[in-house]
């Protein structure tokens, strides 16, 4: 993240590492319930959906923070997009009923590219106000993929035409026929990424407490520095392992 590793923000690595470990367990549970038919009704409960969104949201916020420390968000975004497209192709060919059309990698890559292309515009806003406005926008648009605007309490329905055209699902307007086993549209998640980017402006200026740079949990920090290969490999390994397990049970 920085040339001088002694000033690396190890706390970001540790948070990212904890999030990816939780996501591995979540995806193992998802495979058991959705693919292998294990009776786990709680797995699709609102409480579990909230846990999933917290895990995913952590990646968006931390990735936004990290974009302020990246040498090239354009290159990083294109690389992530390539991995996302490969993941879509693999799921379409291997398990088409669980295809990933706009998952966390697709959305993160688009966030990085949008930030790279609009960085001059975003930099005109002071970090405090940028983080505040982004957080408010994230809250107000959190229910947009469900057809509502205004947050979790007071909201109103958006025009159905936005959701019936069929090609606006990357923005957050999925049609009734749309399905993706992993879905994180740009609305609302780009706003959380942008909130992290404005917080990252303070990180870039070394305005965090010194303890944020200290190494607290080496294992989590190591995992957090290698989230991309872990994210790409964990699902094939989990799916393959569970397939072998249930095959042996027959």
């Amino acid at each position: 993240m920085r040339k001088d590793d002694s000033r690396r923000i190890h706390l970001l690595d540790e948070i990212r590492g904890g999030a990816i470990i939780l996501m591995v367990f979540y995806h193992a549970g998802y495979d058991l319930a959705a693919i292998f038919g294990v009776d786990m009704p709680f797995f699709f409960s609102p409480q579990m959906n909230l846990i999933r969104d917290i895990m995913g949201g952590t990646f968006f916020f931390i990735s936004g923070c990290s974009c302020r420390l990246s040498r090239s968000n354009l290159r990083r975004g294109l690389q992530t997009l390539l991995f996302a497209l490969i993941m879509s192709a693999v799921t379409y060919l291997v398990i088409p009923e669980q295809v990933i059309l706009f998952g966390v990698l697709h959305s993160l890559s688009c966030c990085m590219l949008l930030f790279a292309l609009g960085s001059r515009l975003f930099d005109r806003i002071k970090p405090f106000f940028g983080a505040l406005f982004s957080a408010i926008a994230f809250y107000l648009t959190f229910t947009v993929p469900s057809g509502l605007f205004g947050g979790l309490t007071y909201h109103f329905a958006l025009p159905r035409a936005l959701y019936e055209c069929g090609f606006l699902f990357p923005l957050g307007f999925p049609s009734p026929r749309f399905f993706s086993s992993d879905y994180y549209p740009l609305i609302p998640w780009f706003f959380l990424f942008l909130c992290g980017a404005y917080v990252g402006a303070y990180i870039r200026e070394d305005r965090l407490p010194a303890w944020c740079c200290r190494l607290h949990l080496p294992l989590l920090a190591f995992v957090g520095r290698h989230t991309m290969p872990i994210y790409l490999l964990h699902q094939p390994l989990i799916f393959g392992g569970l397939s072998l397990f249930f095959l042996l049970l027959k």
Side-chain angles (χ1 to χ4, degrees):
M1 193 173 293
R2 294 188 176 191
K3 292 182 180 180
D4 180 8
D5 194 59
S6 65
R7 294 300 299 164
R8 187 182 183 92
I9 313 298
H10 291 293
L11 181 63
L12 295 182
D13 291 332
E14 291 164 351
I15 295 174
R16 189 189 295 114
I20 193 67
I21 289 174
L22 290 175
M23 184 167 284
V24 168
F25 282 105
Y26 174 84
H27 284 158
Y30 180 88
D31 288 357
L32 284 170
I35 300 177
F36 294 96
V38 177
D39 187 20
M40 301 168 60
F42 70 91
F43 200 81
F44 301 101
S45 65
Q47 294 80 5
M48 186 59 71
N49 289 337
L50 176 61
I51 293 173
R52 179 202 62 203
D53 288 340
I54 290 174
M55 289 187 297
T58 300
F59 286 111
F60 281 89
F61 185 81
I62 296 297
S63 182
C65 292
S66 300
C67 77
R68 293 289 188 175
L69 309 171
S70 174
R71 293 185 181 90
S72 175
N73 286 296
L74 184 61
R75 184 181 68 249
R76 196 163 65 107
L78 290 174
Q79 289 174 342
T80 306
L81 180 59
L82 175 61
F83 291 135
L85 294 176
I86 292 173
M87 181 170 290
S88 289
V90 170
T91 54
Y92 178 77
L93 294 173
V94 178
I95 42 174
E97 66 277 7
Q98 294 295 326
V99 65
I100 298 176
L101 295 180
F102 205 80
V104 64
L105 288 186
H106 302 75
S107 191
L108 279 174
S109 65
C110 291
C111 288
M112 296 173 195
L113 294 173
L114 287 173
F115 184 81
L117 296 175
S119 57
R120 291 185 179 180
L121 176 63
F122 298 134
D123 286 343
R124 293 180 181 178
I125 304 174
K126 293 185 180 298
F128 174 81
F129 293 107
L132 178 63
F133 294 152
S134 299
I136 293 173
F138 174 72
Y139 173 77
L140 292 176
T141 61
F142 185 76
T143 53
V144 162
S146 301
L148 304 171
F149 177 85
L152 300 174
T153 52
Y154 179 79
H155 46 243
F156 59 87
L158 292 169
R160 293 308 307 166
L162 291 171
Y163 300 86
E164 293 172 355
C165 62
F167 58 85
L168 294 179
F169 64 89
L171 295 179
F173 307 105
S175 73
R177 299 169 300 280
F178 172 79
F179 173 80
S180 177
S181 62
D182 187 35
Y183 183 49
Y184 285 89
L186 290 174
I187 300 174
W189 297 102
F190 177 62
F191 295 118
L192 187 58
F193 178 95
L194 201 56
C195 183
Y198 283 114
V199 173
Y202 293 105
I203 297 175
R204 185 177 57 187
E205 296 172 1
D206 289 326
R207 296 174 67 174
L208 286 180
W211 63 268
C212 294
C213 298
R214 297 178 192 142
L215 186 60
H216 310 93
L217 299 168
L219 177 60
L220 282 186
F222 175 82
V223 171
R225 290 194 298 270
H226 300 86
T227 52
M228 183 60 75
I230 293 173
Y231 190 89
L232 292 173
L233 293 175
H234 81 280
Q235 269 290 48
L237 292 175
I238 291 172
F239 179 76
L242 290 176
S243 297
L244 179 60
F245 174 76
F246 285 104
L247 180 64
L248 294 174
L249 283 182
K250 291 183 178 180

